[in-house]
Amino acid sequence: TSPQAVSGSAQELWDHWSWAKLIAATKTTQDSFEGYRFNEAALAQADFFWHQLCDVYLETLKFRFRSNDPSRAAAARGILDGALRTSLKLMHPIMPFVTEEIHNLLSLAERGSRSGAGTLSTQEPAPNRESQSPIGQRFISEEKWPTVNELETAFKPDPARVADAEFILALAQQIRTLRSDAKLHPKDPSPVLIRAPRESRAAELLDLKEAGELLSWETRGGTVQVQEGAVRLEGPREALRGCQVALAGT
């Protein structure tokens, strides 16, 4: 992934969050391989790819792809492409055959896109050489190994925006838990009341389109009201920045 392609596209909160998680996973993977802790490398990659890239980032992309702003979708594709290709390289020593197959499919799709077909290319592959896969592309093992420095050069996430994203995700998780405890039907709307200390910046952050889209989905279209003021803390609430979340009317 070229630095220009990623840095030019990373504009939204979730881009900062996902790229920061990718950088952290890359560092953990590299350190684990160097220390012969292969299980830790595998766990780091599984956690990023499954729980962070797929469970969170892909879910947030639904809103951008459905929006009427083509630039939002284009920006998301840049980050997603970079994260996917980097993950394939990091996972390749542990899952060589699966990652090689996906790498080949990505290369085919890229060739099809360049040819204007919009689908996988059916052109004849280039002659097979020792340094090429059957479709005429380099094997993934011959690609450059990802490094933290290169990823940060491509795009350096803003730590403040990453922290804000973590806060919004914590609110979403709390709403999901409250809905489950209340045994609400998955399609029923659930108005939410958030009591928040002023320093949490909850009201400010919930005005962001990224937060509004996610919480509107979690509440199934229910309203989200923020009341700022002193909050009596009950147990550790670091992720929620001291906020109390409740379903209105419960």
Side-chain angles (χ1 to χ4, degrees), residues 164 167-168 198-209 211 226 228:
D164 289 343
F167 171 58
I168 294 169
R198 291 185 178 86
E199 60 271 18
S200 72
R201 298 174 47 240
E204 173 190 342
L205 292 175
L206 294 185
D207 281 338
L208 296 174
K209 63 178 178 295
V226 178
E228 289 190 336

Side-chain angles (χ1 to χ4, degrees), residues 8-157:
S9 67
Q11 302 166 350
E12 299 198 10
L13 200 68
W14 308 120
D15 298 330
H16 288 261
W17 181 86
S18 63
W19 205 255
K21 297 299 181 183
L22 174 63
I23 290 172
T26 300
K27 185 179 187 309
T28 301
T29 300
Q30 181 63 40
D31 291 346
S32 299
F33 277 143
E34 290 176 353
Y36 299 97
R37 301 185 303 275
F38 304 116
N39 63 316
E40 293 182 15
L43 288 173
Q45 275 307 300
D47 187 50
F48 170 74
F49 193 83
W50 188 259
H51 298 296
Q52 295 167 347
L53 185 64
C54 295
D55 279 357
V56 178
Y57 190 61
L58 278 180
E59 289 299 312
T60 67
L61 295 191
K62 293 178 181 178
F63 311 118
R64 294 163 77 170
F65 290 147
R66 292 171 184 165
S67 73
N68 295 323
D69 184 354
S71 64
R72 294 189 71 199
R77 290 190 186 98
I79 293 293
L80 181 60
D81 181 75
L84 177 56
R85 291 177 187 273
T86 300
S87 292
L88 290 176
K89 295 173 186 178
L90 294 173
M91 290 189 289
H92 186 67
I94 298 171
M95 303 170 59
F97 301 109
V98 172
T99 51
E100 187 66 58
E101 185 69 17
I102 298 173
H103 172 72
N104 284 344
L105 289 174
L106 286 175
S107 298
L108 279 170
E110 187 175 24
R111 288 170 58 186
S113 175
R114 288 175 179 173
S115 68
T119 57
L120 295 184
S121 174
T122 57
Q123 299 176 3
E124 284 293 322
N128 190 9
R129 298 196 296 270
E130 185 178 353
S131 63
Q132 291 182 329
S133 72
I135 64 167
Q137 303 291 330
R138 289 197 306 175
F139 287 109
I140 192 172
S141 59
E142 296 177 319
E143 297 284 349
K144 191 173 182 181
W145 182 256
T147 67
V148 169
N149 286 339
E150 288 176 348
L151 292 175
E152 289 183 337
T153 298
F155 170 49
K156 191 170 181 61

Side-chain angles (χ1 to χ4, degrees), residues 216-243:
S216 178
W217 166 253
E218 295 294 349
T219 61
R220 302 303 186 266
T223 58
V224 179
Q225 181 182 359
V226 178
Q227 291 183 350
E228 289 190 336
V231 175
R232 181 172 62 86
L233 300 183
E234 299 174 0
R237 293 176 178 270
E238 290 184 10
L240 290 172
R241 297 184 179 177
C243 295

